[in-house]
């Protein structure tokens, strides 16, 4: 009887370890998958967010900044997707622009994934797919499905209450990892605050006339054809 119990315990442990190994391999593949980008011939330079906030160097949020400079004087626009990585239309729209844009006047800055870290995990317990695929004439293109907030692997621990800087408004704990709640950011804050700080510096330094932050209705939250005002 005692021996049987021991065998059951060992077997349970082995089964749990097998499941952990399968899940671990999936998590690892999802986090380290690199999404290929083929920018349009209008591309003149690829910068990094760490060019605007050096502490982001080597982190998950050191996103590429694609610069399309027409060489003709004009305005400067900044378009970014992936504030919320569980809103796939946003990074897909930014990718579509980066791959097809033809700039005739002024400059355009594009970031495909503003919060790249959030794209390296999915919502815990909600059975999001890890990847989604878009059919093209040259085969399936694979994209990462992400979460609303920065991956806890890159930003931990959360505070009990997130005190927004500089307004001091009190927000929910996980909003310190929500890129839509950390503007204008600060250079000595958590990684999400430093990411918005980098983009604020980009807007200031590059004299951006118009910035567009792409969003869409997330799953189970149908804000379609809706205007959300302050
Ligand atoms: Zn959003």
């Amino acid at each position: 009887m005692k021996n049987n119990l021991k065998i059951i315990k060992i077997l349970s442990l082995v089964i749990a370890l097998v499941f952990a190994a399968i899940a671990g391999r999936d998590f690892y593949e999802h986090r380290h998958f690199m999404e290929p980008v083929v920018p349009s011939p209008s591309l003149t330079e690829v910068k990094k967010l760490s060019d605007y906030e050096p502490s982001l160097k080597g982190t998950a949020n050191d996103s590429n900044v694609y610069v399309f400079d027409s060489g003709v004087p004009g305005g400067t626009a900044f378009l970014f997707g992936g504030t919320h990585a569980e809103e796939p239309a946003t990074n897909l729209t930014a990718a579509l622009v980066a791959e097809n844009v033809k700039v005739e006047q002024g400059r355009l800055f594009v970031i495909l994934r503003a919060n790249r870290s959030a794209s390296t995990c999915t919502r815990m317990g909600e059975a999001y797919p890890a990847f989604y695929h878009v059919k093209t004439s040259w085969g399936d293109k694979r994209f990462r499905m992400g979460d609303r907030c920065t991956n806890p692997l890159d930003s931990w621990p959360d505070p009990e209450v997130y005190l927004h800087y500089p307004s001091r408004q009190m927000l929910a704990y996980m909003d310190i990892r929500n890129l839509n709640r950390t503007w204008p950011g600060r250079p000595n804050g958590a990684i999400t605050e430093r990411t918005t700080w980098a983009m604020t510096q980009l807007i200031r330094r590059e004299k951006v006339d118009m910035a567009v932050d792409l969003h869409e209705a997330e799953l189970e939250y149908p804000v379609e054809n809706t205007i959300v005002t302050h």
Side-chain angles (χ1 to χ4, degrees):
M1 187 67 198
K2 216 174 170 193
N3 238 359
N4 272 356
L5 201 66
K6 207 172 171 186
I7 289 168
I8 289 170
K9 280 181 178 172
I10 290 170
L11 244 138
S12 307
L13 187 67
V14 168
I15 290 168
L17 283 174
V18 167
F19 280 119
I22 293 168
R25 192 197 59 193
D26 284 356
F27 290 145
Y28 187 90
E29 191 203 358
H30 183 252
R31 182 163 167 82
H32 294 273
F33 175 68
M34 300 293 272
E35 292 171 314
V37 184
V38 185
S40 92
S42 281
L43 182 81
T44 45
E45 196 182 353
V46 181
K47 292 190 172 209
K48 290 285 212 178
L49 269 184
S50 59
D51 294 337
Y52 301 96
E53 171 43 44
S55 74
L56 290 176
K57 206 173 177 71
T59 69
N61 273 7
D62 195 7
S63 299
N64 286 343
V65 181
Y66 298 96
V67 185
F68 303 89
D69 187 347
S70 67
V72 181
T76 298
F78 173 32
L79 174 80
F80 56 99
T83 286
H84 292 141
E86 94 288 29
E87 299 170 5
T90 69
N91 59 289
L92 286 182
T93 302
L96 211 63
V97 170
E99 295 193 348
N100 296 284
V101 73
K102 218 172 125 189
V103 181
E104 292 171 347
Q105 197 184 343
R107 294 182 305 160
L108 172 68
F109 290 75
V110 180
I111 295 177
L112 307 193
R113 290 201 179 271
N115 191 357
R116 201 182 152 276
S117 166
S119 80
T120 65
C121 60
T122 59
R123 183 103 29 115
M124 282 174 255
E126 296 217 9
Y128 276 25
F131 297 98
Y132 55 92
H133 303 81
V134 177
K135 270 198 176 59
T136 69
S137 49
W138 60 91
D140 275 1
K141 265 194 96 161
R142 189 187 201 199
F143 296 90
R144 241 198 326 259
M145 186 69 187
D147 190 10
R148 189 170 184 80
C149 294
T150 304
N151 191 331
L153 289 175
D154 299 311
S155 185
W156 186 263
D158 292 337
E160 295 252 334
V161 174
Y162 163 44
L163 211 58
H164 173 263
Y165 179 84
S167 73
R168 298 188 64 81
Q169 185 183 352
M170 287 193 280
L171 296 165
Y173 66 96
M174 73 290 193
D175 274 335
I176 198 168
R177 291 183 287 114
N178 180 348
L179 192 108
N180 206 31
R181 302 285 184 275
T182 59
W183 292 94
R186 52 178 165 176
N188 53 351
I191 188 169
T192 321
E193 294 176 293
R194 285 185 276 126
T195 307
T196 40
W197 175 253
M199 289 192 281
T200 301
Q201 295 316 297
L202 186 160
I203 289 166
R204 286 177 181 148
R205 228 184 284 167
E206 307 294 352
K207 298 188 169 49
V208 169
D209 298 296
M210 185 175 73
V212 178
D213 176 3
L214 295 160
H215 289 262
E216 70 159 317
E218 65 171 334
L219 290 172
E220 301 167 279
Y221 184 59
V223 279
E224 285 141 11
N225 298 321
T226 304
I227 295 172
V228 181
T229 64
H230 198 277

